[in-house]
Amino acid sequence: MANEQKRSFLGEIRPEEDFLSAPFRSAVAEAEVEIAGIAQVGSPCYQLLGYDDKGTEVLLFEKKMSVKEGGGFSYLHSFDPISFAVYQNAQSLRIRLTGIEKAELTKLTLTEVEQSAQAEFSRVLRKHRGPKSLKNVLFVGNSLLLGIENRYGMCCSAPDKDYFYHVSQEIKKSNPDCQFFKLHGSGIEHAESIEEFEEVYNERPNIYTKRPVKESFTPDLDLIILQITDNVNTDKKVETFHTTAKLLLERIRKNCPHAEILWVYGWYYKRSVMEYVLDFCKQYDVEPVDLRPVRYRANESSRGSLYDSVDGTKKEALEAWLTHPGDSGMRAIADRIIDTLLETKLL
């Protein structure tokens, strides 16, 4: 179940200036702006602006709106405020309409969808895959896996508090000689074209392994835990990922013929992405692990949280990071993965 909050930004459009909404903050992973109006003069252009803690303005997104016969225009923009906060340091946002000398604005609303602790999720009928000896396990993830100094999960307090640590320790109880590997998967998520994905996969040194992505998918892997989709947050990325997610699974199945695969998703949930990813999971015999039931405020980090830095000091987590899981959130993510491994008899 999700909670929806709406804000209205209707205001007067004057000939001598652009329309600029009041600043707003948002801590949701799914937001939508809906605009409608009638332009008597000019060609309307929609902009989403971000402001850092010093008030510096940056253009996050821009779209020229087509005007229909009679002057009517409308536009629907879905976006991820959390990603703008993390990657562009957008502490607050504003909406601006330009290029209109005279118009009547009939609608300008922002709808924010926030998941709750009672989030609905589809229960998967697990296949009993085990028993299986796990000797080589690969974790592929984004900032939840390697966000703190490219070492451990954002935004927990120490390396022994993230989901990788908890899951690996559980696996070692029954597989004491198991080896664990990590791969930073954000390059796959951020690709805005097939060509960029191929460059990330085949050529570009991964920021964690220092080798191309393809070199991590080896024939000796027994288990692969994919934790990606959170950063597929623009129209271009969504369109590209529709193809590259399938390519990725095809290549894993070819290069890692003995590996079981889990796809962990839902800390930052994207309906437009997960609809086809879940279809791919069925097609390629992948176990989905839904995090939505554990994605709520109490499991996020909080202001003033500290983390262990590589230089041996404790540092304060940046405000832009705080929607990431704290220690309790990391434990909850790990428990979802462990439960799936137990249900499938892989542990």
Side-chain angles (χ1 to χ4, degrees), residues 28-316:
V28 299
E30 186 179 355
E32 189 176 80
V33 171
E34 187 175 5
I35 299 170
I38 300 172
Q40 282 80 40
V41 182
S43 300
C45 179
Y46 160 79
Q47 295 179 335
L48 184 66
L49 308 173
Y51 299 84
D52 62 18
D53 51 3
K54 297 180 181 178
T56 304
E57 180 182 291
V58 61
L59 177 62
L60 301 173
F61 181 84
E62 183 176 56
K63 178 71 175 181
K64 289 186 177 180
M65 292 180 278
S66 58
V67 178
K68 302 173 185 176
E69 186 176 351
F73 63 88
S74 63
Y75 184 62
L76 189 67
H77 178 214
S78 298
F79 61 97
D80 181 349
I82 289 174
S83 291
F84 288 137
V86 173
Y87 294 107
Q88 277 84 26
N89 193 26
Q91 302 296 312
S92 64
L93 304 169
R94 298 182 87 172
I95 299 161
R96 181 163 64 199
L97 300 182
T98 68
I100 310 174
E101 296 178 32
K102 189 177 181 182
E104 177 187 356
L105 189 60
T106 58
K107 178 179 287 188
L108 203 169
T109 58
L110 169 72
T111 304
E112 299 169 285
V113 181
E114 182 176 3
Q115 292 169 196
S116 68
Q118 291 77 37
E120 296 175 1
F121 66 105
S122 57
R123 186 66 177 173
V124 177
L125 181 60
R126 307 292 187 194
K127 291 187 178 181
H128 286 189
R129 302 172 181 272
K132 185 169 186 174
S133 175
L134 300 179
K135 296 179 180 178
N136 296 289
V137 177
L138 173 65
F139 288 73
V140 184
N142 46 46
S143 59
L144 275 70
L145 179 70
L146 289 164
I148 296 292
E149 298 175 343
N150 198 27
R151 293 194 302 142
Y152 63 96
M154 182 183 289
C155 204
C156 62
S157 61
D160 62 354
K161 299 292 185 182
D162 71 357
Y163 81 83
F164 166 83
Y165 178 84
H166 295 309
V167 173
S168 61
Q169 291 301 300
E170 190 67 28
I171 291 174
K172 285 169 69 174
K173 290 179 182 178
S174 54
N175 301 270
D177 297 325
C178 188
Q179 297 186 80
F180 302 93
F181 307 91
K182 295 180 184 179
L183 176 69
H184 211 304
S186 290
I188 298 169
E189 296 174 311
H190 287 303
E192 294 193 337
S193 66
I194 306 301
E195 292 75 18
E196 185 180 354
F197 167 79
E198 294 291 6
E199 196 259 335
V200 167
Y201 187 86
N202 293 299
E203 302 173 21
R204 186 189 304 173
N206 187 264
I207 62 174
Y208 183 76
T209 65
K210 312 304 180 189
R211 296 178 288 119
V213 162
K214 67 177 182 180
E215 295 188 23
S216 291
F217 294 112
T218 55
D220 60 348
L221 290 174
D222 302 300
L223 174 64
I224 299 169
I225 299 175
L226 294 172
Q227 181 264 302
I228 53 176
T229 61
D230 301 304
N231 294 309
V232 185
N233 49 31
T234 68
D235 292 343
K236 283 186 178 180
K237 292 178 190 177
V238 170
E239 181 181 359
T240 300
F241 201 70
H242 190 279
T243 299
T244 58
K246 187 173 183 178
L247 281 176
L248 180 64
L249 290 177
E250 285 178 351
R251 293 174 186 181
I252 292 174
R253 280 291 173 223
K254 180 180 178 180
N255 298 329
C256 314
H258 308 297
E260 303 293 351
I261 307 171
L262 271 58
W263 196 308
V264 181
Y265 70 95
W267 187 262
Y268 301 121
Y269 182 72
K270 309 289 188 301
R271 281 178 295 181
S272 58
V273 175
M274 290 315 305
E275 287 175 357
Y276 57 76
V277 167
L278 291 175
D279 284 340
F280 294 157
C281 285
K282 294 177 183 177
Q283 184 177 346
Y284 292 96
D285 197 22
V286 174
E287 288 286 353
V289 181
D290 192 342
L291 299 183
R292 284 177 290 170
V294 300
R295 169 63 166 98
Y296 48 92
R297 291 287 188 216
N299 277 341
E300 293 177 0
S301 187
S302 57
R303 188 170 295 170
S305 295
L306 302 176
Y307 66 90
D308 289 347
S309 177
V310 69
D311 62 12
T313 64
K314 290 193 177 294
K315 295 183 178 178
E316 186 172 337

